Amino acid sequence: MSELLRNQEAMKEAQAEVRRVYGSKGYVDESKLHELKYLGAVIKETLRLHPPVPLLVPRENSENCVINGYQIPSKTKIMINAWAIGRDPKNWNEPERFEPKRFLSTSADYSFKGLNFNYIPFGAGRRMCPGITFATPVLELLLSNLLYHFDWKLSEGMKLENLDMNESFGAVVKRKTDLNVVPFCYSPYY
Ligand code: HEM
């Protein structure tokens, strides 16, 4: 929601899509989530810039190995910086920019399966997140409902350019300060 508020074009496009796909149905359910291509890209772009588990979960290698010429002895604690990987200019054009369309105009595999090491918000390999198939429809349902039923504005006196995007680090990363927004009801019927 923070990124969509800061990027009004993306907000308009995601909102138009969900309102077109669900039309006069009056509510969003699971039946057409697969048609929300742009909304899916919004979620991917959000997880690229703001992975909730930015350093994944610490791991330990059981055997000696060599990676990029570096000898890694067994039992080394391995931290993977998924946050930095998602913003690496070697892999991403204008990495700091919130641009969901980058996921629509590519043939690269940006599913969450951890097959593309440039994009690993759910980790990769045998110990990657087993909750993906639960997490993704929940995110899609939540966001599409918020966008279908309401238009959103920042609360009185707040300016988009001053929106605090700092994050706080804990078990998972989240906004440091609350996002205060005002919902305006939208109805497909009037
Ligand atoms: C947007 C939502 C979520 C994100 C971004 C996320 C991300 C992650 C990441 C990065 C890891 C570490 C993977 C690695 O080290 O390679 C992980 C592990 C794990 N996640 Fe998630 N997760 C999410 C939702 C969920 C949900 C909904 C569940 C359960 C219903 C779940 C259950 C787990 C479990 C059990 C592990 C530990 C797996 C293991 O070590 O074998 N996650 N998750």
Side-chain angles (χ1 to χ4, degrees):
M1 285 298 284
S2 309
E3 288 291 6
L4 286 177
L5 282 159
R6 275 159 35 104
N7 296 276
Q8 284 295 313
E9 284 308 309
M11 172 68 98
K12 276 190 208 134
E13 196 154 347
Q15 213 152 28
E17 180 185 65
V18 67
R19 289 177 181 172
R20 175 172 42 77
V21 168
Y22 285 90
S24 58
K25 187 165 188 167
Y27 59 93
V28 174
D29 61 8
E30 290 88 343
S31 63
K32 294 182 176 182
L33 287 181
H34 60 280
E35 290 181 39
L36 301 177
K37 306 289 182 216
Y38 189 76
L39 186 115
V42 165
I43 290 172
K44 285 192 173 162
E45 182 70 335
T46 305
L47 290 173
R48 177 182 74 81
L49 285 170
H50 310 283
V53 195
L55 300 178
L56 306 187
V57 174
R59 304 292 186 199
E60 187 184 282
N61 53 321
S62 49
E63 291 171 20
N64 296 338
C65 60
V66 180
I67 298 179
N68 285 350
Y70 293 94
Q71 310 269 350
I72 319 281
S74 65
K75 296 200 158 290
T76 302
K77 186 188 265 190
I78 314 283
M79 313 279 290
I80 310 273
N81 194 338
W83 184 93
I85 290 172
R87 290 173 186 242
D88 189 341
K90 281 196 240 114
N91 305 325
W92 302 95
N93 191 24
E94 293 188 79
E96 302 295 326
R97 191 155 155 241
F98 183 81
E99 180 46 278
K101 280 206 174 91
R102 67 175 84 237
F103 287 103
L104 299 176
S105 55
T106 170
S107 54
D109 184 340
Y110 287 114
S111 60
F112 295 124
K113 294 176 194 147
L115 299 174
N116 182 336
F117 292 157
N118 297 338
Y119 183 65
I120 49 167
F122 288 96
R126 277 182 292 175
R127 293 297 295 274
M128 72 182 296
C129 178
I132 303 173
T133 48
F134 180 56
T136 43
V138 169
L139 287 174
E140 287 165 3
L141 265 182
L142 174 67
L143 187 58
S144 52
N145 266 294
L146 292 177
L147 300 188
Y148 183 81
H149 292 290
F150 303 101
D151 293 324
W152 296 92
K153 298 231 157 46
L154 284 181
S155 52
E156 189 81 325
M158 283 190 70
K159 291 206 168 103
L160 278 179
E161 54 274 25
N162 297 338
L163 190 61
D164 179 7
M165 291 297 283
N166 282 313
E167 298 175 327
S168 71
F169 193 73
V172 292
V173 165
K174 58 182 177 100
R175 285 184 59 83
K176 193 167 183 181
T177 53
D178 289 342
L179 176 67
N180 293 317
V181 279
V182 184
F184 293 86
C185 259
Y186 162 85
S187 165
Y189 306 120
Y190 53 81

